[in-house]
Amino acid sequence: MTYTTQMDAARQGLITREMEQVAAKEGIVAATIRDWVAAGRVAIPANKRHRSLDACGIGTGLRTKINVNLGISKDCYDIEQEMAKVRRALELRADAIMDLSSFGKTAEFRAGLLALSPAAVGTVPIYDAIGFYDKELQEIRAEEFLEVVERHAADGVDFMTIHAGLNRDMVEKFKRNPRLTHIVSRGGSLLYAWMELNGSENPFYEHFDKILEICREYDVTLSLGDALRPGCIQDATDACQIQELITLGELTRRAWERNVQVMIEGPGHMKIDEIAANVTLQKRLCHGAPFYVLGPLVTDVAPGYDHITSAIGGAIAAAAGADFLCYVTPAEHLRLPTLADMEEGIMASRIAAHAGDLAKGLPGAAEWDRRMSQARVALDWESMFDLALDPAKARRYREESRPEHEDSCTMCGKICAMRTMNQLLKGGATL
């Protein structure tokens, strides 16, 4: 039997190599993965041309995954530096990497990324269109936007952010419902400008069937972008955000009818007490499709620390059912992230994802923490390092400040609670 996409195979009852890879990583039988892909609750981004891919699954019942954003820009055009980030992101076990390049030799960077990365690779084609055609935004034709989508698919990109929910009706709704920070999605703002300048419909919405044909041919997963995500606390959960979400739910059904896999992108900036309700709303309106969130950032006043504001929101979102966290670095809102910024963002996002998995009760999540606790009570430093999310940092901190007593650290020394209790419970003298 032949199939066009992972969803097509699943609906035919087939188990693909990619489904087997996901099953092995998650500790779930492959037939269950197949059934979840068939229903749309799990997506396996796996372009047929991404030869180096080691597939991962994203969706309900699986570990919360994290994405790392990279890419070259006009002000920071250093392909080698971005490739160094790719290598480090893979070392730190990022599940996916998005190339957000917006200037210059984007194809060269994308080819290098796809050749190197076993993690899923995503792009936002509209970012590339302006540089690729070397035209003013207004001059780009609708069919040219679609040509960039096809070029990225042919290159081997596994998932693409397509802002198809921002149609003419949504533009009018946006005008009737003013926001403090307007449209903060880069792709959304570009499309809004293009639509207004040309008096035309969003080409990604108008020609959505053509996009589905491209995605089906190469098995590209659609990441339906939230052009109207809130860019500040005040704009969260407003009429524009929710109306776009309804449209994304309709587009999800259209994609599934063509056996195209879908993820839904979500907010954004949002108060803590709104996050769980937003996850529930997305899952309901978008029929259980995997939910991919940027943060959410739970306050607007922490530039330089937005990896923390994002991790707080990401943990809450993951616990409530979000499936995929887009990392945020300390450089958010300020500059292109450095390698060090990226590392901090990845670790903050991985902590949030695991915290969410603990709350979800995913098999194996609590066992990891139990083993760390066993190592701590035994004062087994090597096991603690091995179990740590970042073993190198944990080991470095220990080495930088050696204690007098090896069964303690320099915080507590001989009055370490673990040391005291171990000695007492073994019947020995303390202190």
Side-chain angles (χ1 to χ4, degrees), residues 125-126 129 132-133 135-150 162 191 194-195 198-208 210-211 214:
I126 192 171
F132 180 77
Y133 291 113
K135 292 181 178 181
E136 293 297 322
L137 176 64
Q138 184 177 0
E139 297 172 357
I140 299 175
R141 303 189 313 274
E143 56 268 27
E144 290 178 319
F145 285 120
L146 302 184
E147 288 170 5
V148 173
V149 171
E150 184 149 23
I162 301 292
L191 277 170
W194 186 90
M195 293 161 70
N198 289 286
S200 300
E201 180 58 276
N202 176 353
F204 297 126
Y205 179 79
E206 184 176 12
H207 303 289
F208 192 65
K210 174 60 178 176
I211 290 172
I214 296 169

Side-chain angles (χ1 to χ4, degrees), residues 379 381 398 402-424 429-431:
L379 295 167
W381 300 101
R398 172 76 175 171
R402 302 293 304 188
E404 178 184 358
H405 302 279
E406 282 301 309
D407 57 349
S408 66
C409 75
T410 53
M411 177 71 179
C412 299
K414 61 186 283 186
I415 62 170
C416 165
M418 292 292 189
R419 182 175 186 269
T420 298
M421 292 305 299
N422 285 342
Q423 291 187 6
L424 267 176
T430 63
L431 307 183

Side-chain angles (χ1 to χ4, degrees), residues 3 39 72 75 91 93 97 184 253 264 266 272 277 325 378 390 406-407 410 418:
Y3 61 89
I72 51 178
D75 289 319
E91 289 173 1
R93 292 181 283 177
I97 295 175
V184 300
R253 285 194 182 276
I264 306 295
I272 284 175
L325 307 182
D390 187 348
E406 282 301 309
D407 57 349
T410 53
M418 292 292 189

